[in-house]
Amino acid sequence: TTIRLRDSLTPLTHLLATQVVCNFPWDREPWLVKRAIQMRNGTLIRNGLEVRPAELYAKPDWLRDGTFKILYVGRLIEQKRVDILLEAVAHLREQGHKLQLGIYGQGHLSAALKDLAEARRLKEGKDVRFLGYQPQWQSAARYYDLFALPTFAEGMPNVLVEAMAAGLPVIASDIPEIASFVRHGKDAWLVEPGDVNGFVAGLRWLIGDSTIRSELVSNGRRLASDLSPDRMVDAYEALYNDLLFPSRS
């Protein structure tokens, strides 16, 4: 009820503002929200993300040599579509690929996703591991080969940028909130949201092509560095100057 009330008041709060700043594109917002943003000269300023060096942890003992290791970090809820990732991994394992999937996060779908993994013959602790919420997941990122984000909807996907900064190639859903700043095949590999077969094909391609993975890592790190707190502060400072001293702009 509280969330519904907040959402219903969003257009009004926007109209009461002098300027509306969003940290992700508003194209898919409800019409009234989008119209209110447009009437208040909506401006896009992406979050600045401070990426600190991760502590060096020992390699998790469940990860084995000779496997391709995939990492997911995020809530276990409907919009994240972790089921698609489980299905894709299971399909590729059936084709003979040696994969392991680490899932960092918690949510009300945890039990259902564990049941799905078991139904698809992904053994807990061997093929897949549900590791719960761990704020220092970046410390284990260096032991994985790929970061996957099969999400159906996002705001500003900080975790994707954090994975890039950690040096992981990324495969993610081709949704506006991601595609608006990530180039397919350059910064990350983007797949139609909800498309299991597309995710299978993308994973298969990346598993087999270390050159494209290296390119994604290089470009991803550059993109993550561009989304720095300093750049965000500069953008807000310029906006405030325009609002407070319009004669100077």
Side-chain angles (χ1 to χ4, degrees):
T1 302
T2 302
I3 294 176
R4 290 178 181 175
L5 178 61
R6 181 202 65 189
D7 290 345
S8 65
L9 292 175
T10 296
L12 176 60
T13 57
H14 287 354
L15 289 173
L16 290 173
T18 302
Q19 177 89 39
V20 175
V21 178
C22 301
N23 65 2
F24 60 90
W26 53 85
D27 310 50
R28 295 178 65 184
E29 292 297 301
W31 184 85
L32 281 176
V33 175
K34 185 162 53 177
R35 180 60 179 150
I37 293 173
Q38 292 168 344
M39 291 175 67
R40 289 298 178 264
N41 300 316
T43 299
L44 175 65
I45 299 179
R46 298 198 180 277
N47 289 346
L49 190 64
E50 183 178 8
V51 180
R52 299 175 180 174
E55 297 180 27
L56 295 180
Y57 284 9
K59 181 179 178 180
D61 55 11
W62 78 282
L63 292 176
R64 306 187 306 278
D65 293 338
T67 63
F68 190 89
K69 302 163 187 65
I70 301 171
L71 173 65
Y72 167 84
V73 179
R75 291 177 294 165
L76 306 183
I77 59 175
E78 286 84 357
Q79 75 183 57
K80 299 298 185 179
R81 296 308 308 269
V82 181
D83 59 304
I84 288 176
L85 182 55
L86 288 168
E87 291 284 1
V89 168
H91 187 83
L92 288 167
R93 283 185 57 82
E94 290 170 355
Q95 295 180 352
H97 292 276
K98 297 179 180 179
L99 306 180
Q100 289 187 285
L101 171 61
I103 297 176
Y104 288 78
Q106 58 190 16
H108 67 271
L109 289 184
S110 178
L113 291 169
K114 289 178 180 178
D115 288 343
L116 174 60
E118 183 178 0
R120 296 296 278 114
R121 297 182 179 180
L122 297 174
K123 296 181 179 179
E124 169 68 26
K126 181 181 179 183
D127 307 321
V128 61
R129 185 136 191 202
F130 290 83
L131 295 149
Y133 173 69
Q134 296 191 29
Q136 297 300 321
W137 62 267
Q138 296 96 331
S139 299
R142 61 196 294 257
Y143 300 112
Y144 287 86
D145 302 298
L146 181 73
F147 180 83
L149 189 65
T151 181
F152 195 76
E154 289 289 321
M156 174 61 188
N158 289 344
V159 69
L160 180 148
V161 180
E162 289 172 337
M164 289 178 170
L168 287 175
V170 171
I171 182 170
S173 298
D174 188 4
I175 57 176
E177 296 87 345
I178 292 176
S180 64
F181 73 102
V182 171
R183 301 170 298 169
H184 169 60
K186 297 293 185 180
D187 306 315
W189 197 268
L190 302 183
V191 178
E192 188 71 20
D195 183 3
V196 175
N197 291 332
F199 234 87
V200 169
L203 286 171
R204 185 189 299 115
W205 182 268
L206 293 173
I207 290 168
D209 194 330
S210 60
T211 300
I212 187 64
R213 294 202 308 273
S214 296
E215 183 178 348
L216 296 183
V217 168
S218 178
N219 292 334
R221 277 184 163 144
R222 189 177 303 114
L223 176 59
S225 67
D226 287 342
L227 295 171
S228 67
D230 288 342
R231 287 176 181 262
M232 180 187 70
V233 170
D234 289 344
Y236 274 106
E237 183 178 3
L239 177 62
Y240 290 144
N241 282 329
D242 289 343
L243 292 173
L244 295 172
F245 311 105
S247 60
R248 297 183 184 178
S249 57

